[in-house]
Amino acid sequence: MSGVRRSRIAGCGSYLPARCLTNAELAKKVDTSDEWIVARTGIRERHIAADGEFTSDLATKAAQEALADGEMAIEDVDLIVLATATPDQTFPATAAQVQKKLGMHHGAAFDVQAVCTGFVYALSVADNFVKAGQADCALVIGAETFSRILDWEDRGTCVLFGDGAGAVILRAGEGDGTNKDRGVLSTHIHSDGRYHDMLYVDGGPSTTGLAGHLRMEGREVFKHAVINLAEAVDEALEENNVTPEEIDWFVPHQANKRIIDAMARKLSLDESRVVNTIDRHANTSAASIPLALAEAAGDGRIKAGDLVLIEAMGGGFTWGSGLIRW
Ligand code: UT7
C-alpha cells in the first residue's frame, strides 16, 4: 500500500432497548416535571435496558447492524474496541463478551474507559491501530447501561441518562494525506483528573466493592464542557486546515441541548447541520455519538465524502474531538 494509511468508515449500526421511559413517567417517581427536563436539557424520553439485558447485548446488536450495513462478515474484523463505563462485570472486558457473542475467535478485543468521551477515545485508539498497520478492520463500539448506576432518587441526575449502543467499522484504506481523504482525519483526546469530584461514581471494585451511583455537579460540568469542547473543536479544525463552513455534519455528544446549541452557535452552524438525538435518547454516555452517526447515516443525511465533526466531554474530566471524511 502506498500513500497514507487511513481508517475509512465501512459501516455503522445502533441498538436501543425496547423500553422507553418518558419524562411524565419519571415525574411520578421524583420531584420533577416534563417542562423542567425539556427546558433545561432538551430530553423528552430515554430507553432503559430490560432485566437480564447487559451492555454486551446492546453492543452486540449494534455491531451486528454495523456489519450488515457494511456488508461485512465478522471474519473481516481483527480488532474490537469498546467504550463503556458500565461493563457487564469488573472483568473480563465487555469487548471480549461481545467478541464471543459475535462468534469471533481471532484478533483482539478490549474496553476503553473515558465515560462520555469514550467513543472519541475508542475511535482514536482504533484509528491509530489501523494507521500503524496493527489492525486492518476495527469495530469501534460505544455501549452503556447507565440506568444501572443511577440514583433513581436523585432528580438532578436520574432524568439525564439513558441506555443504548452504537458501532462503526473502520477499515484500512489509502489516502494522499490531505483533508480530502476519506476516513478519520484526526482525533484529539484530553483528560484532567483534578476534576474527579465534579462527575464520578461513588463506588468501584477497589474502593467499596460495589458498582456505586453516579454523582454530578451539573452546573460546574456544564461550564467546563463549553470551554473544553470549544478548544477541542478548534484543534480539529486547525489540524486539518478546515473552516466551520466546510463542516457538513456536527455530531456532538448528547448531554444537553443547551451545550449542543452553544457549540453550534460558536461554529455558526445552522441547526439543519447538527445531528440531535437527545430528545429521544437522553445522554447515553459513550453510546451517544455512534447512535447519532448511525441514525444520520442510516436516514441518508450523512453521505460519502461528507465532513463530520464529533466532540465529547465526560467524567475524569475527559474531552476530545474527531474529524471524519465519511
Ligand atoms: O455527559 C457528561 C457531561 N455532562 C454534562 O455535560 C451535564 C452538564 N450539566 C447540565 O447539563 C446541567 O447543569 C443540568 C441539566 C444537569 C442541570 O441544569 P442547570 O440549568 O445547570 O440546573 P441547576 O443544576 O443549576 O439547577 C437549577 C434548579 C435547582 O433548584 P434551585 O437550587 O434553583 O432551587 C435544582 O435543584 O433546578 C433544580 N433541579 C430540578 N428541578 C426539577 C435540578 N434537577 C431538577 C429536576 N427537576 N430534575
Side-chain angles (χ1 to χ4, degrees):
M1 192 183 284
S2 60
V4 176
R5 231 174 121 91
R6 292 281 197 193
S7 323
R8 294 224 182 126
I9 305 288
C12 51
S14 64
Y15 175 76
L16 290 162
R19 165 91 170 104
C20 187
L21 178 67
T22 64
N23 290 348
E25 283 175 83
L26 267 175
K28 290 182 194 150
K29 295 183 193 172
V30 285
D31 181 16
T32 189
S33 64
D34 179 51
E35 293 72 30
W36 190 95
I37 301 172
V38 172
R40 299 289 178 126
T41 72
I43 298 165
R44 294 182 184 277
E45 57 191 34
R46 71 286 290 142
H47 290 258
I48 305 291
D51 289 344
E53 191 175 36
F54 306 138
T55 295
S56 63
D57 298 315
L58 277 49
T60 301
K61 287 183 172 144
Q64 284 165 335
E65 197 180 276
L67 288 166
D69 180 52
E71 296 177 356
M72 291 170 70
I74 191 62
E75 288 72 29
D76 299 326
V77 174
D78 53 12
L79 175 69
I80 298 176
V81 184
L82 185 146
T84 189
T86 45
D88 290 9
Q89 292 168 305
T90 302
F91 81 78
T94 300
Q97 285 307 293
V98 173
Q99 183 190 28
K100 181 189 84 175
K101 289 176 183 180
L102 290 171
M104 174 178 164
H105 312 300
H106 63 278
F110 59 87
D111 291 356
V112 162
Q113 221 289 37
V115 206
C116 295
T117 319
F119 183 76
V120 180
Y121 268 65
L123 188 77
S124 185
V125 169
D127 176 44
N128 279 299
F129 266 74
V130 171
K131 283 196 298 199
Q134 204 172 344
D136 287 324
C137 183
L139 252 175
V140 186
I141 309 170
E144 304 276 16
T145 47
F146 258 51
S147 63
R148 307 263 154 81
I149 55 162
L150 294 176
D151 174 351
W152 287 98
E153 289 177 2
D154 174 16
R155 69 174 184 172
T157 55
C158 76
V159 304
L160 303 174
F161 296 90
D163 301 338
V168 303
I169 301 172
L170 296 184
R171 198 163 205 185
E174 201 182 323
D176 57 16
T178 72
N179 66 22
K180 300 286 178 255
D181 287 351
R182 287 184 67 194
V184 178
L185 297 178
S186 73
T187 55
H188 288 88
I189 54 173
H190 298 278
S191 65
D192 189 340
R194 287 176 296 176
Y195 297 98
H196 168 278
D197 293 358
M198 291 183 186
L199 179 49
Y200 66 102
V201 166
D202 62 4
S206 174
T207 49
T208 61
L210 301 166
H213 293 114
L214 183 148
R215 306 292 171 205
M216 178 166 73
E217 301 286 341
R219 214 175 310 189
E220 288 303 313
V221 177
F222 192 110
K223 277 192 245 164
H224 283 86
V226 177
I227 295 164
N228 292 344
L229 291 171
E231 283 177 10
V233 162
D234 285 346
E235 282 180 312
L237 299 181
E238 272 167 35
E239 167 100 7
N240 297 289
N241 214 2
V242 161
T243 61
E245 299 80 68
E246 293 174 77
I247 298 165
D248 295 298
W249 296 104
F250 178 45
V251 188
H253 169 52
Q254 312 278 319
N256 189 316
K257 178 81 163 54
R258 290 185 290 144
I259 297 176
I260 297 172
D261 290 347
M263 292 304 300
R265 260 198 312 277
K266 196 192 165 289
L267 291 162
S268 304
L269 285 180
D270 188 76
E271 202 171 1
S272 62
R273 284 153 72 194
V274 181
V275 178
N276 262 300
T277 56
I278 184 140
D279 53 336
R280 291 158 291 123
H281 300 175
N283 181 348
T284 56
S285 184
S288 88
I289 292 173
L291 269 163
L293 288 173
E295 181 173 292
D299 66 19
R301 272 178 286 172
I302 301 179
K303 294 182 192 66
D306 281 355
L307 194 59
V308 179
L309 174 68
I310 63 171
E311 47 87 319
M313 152 96 187
F317 286 151
T318 54
W319 66 99
S321 64
L323 199 63
I324 305 163
R325 176 81 62 191
W326 206 258

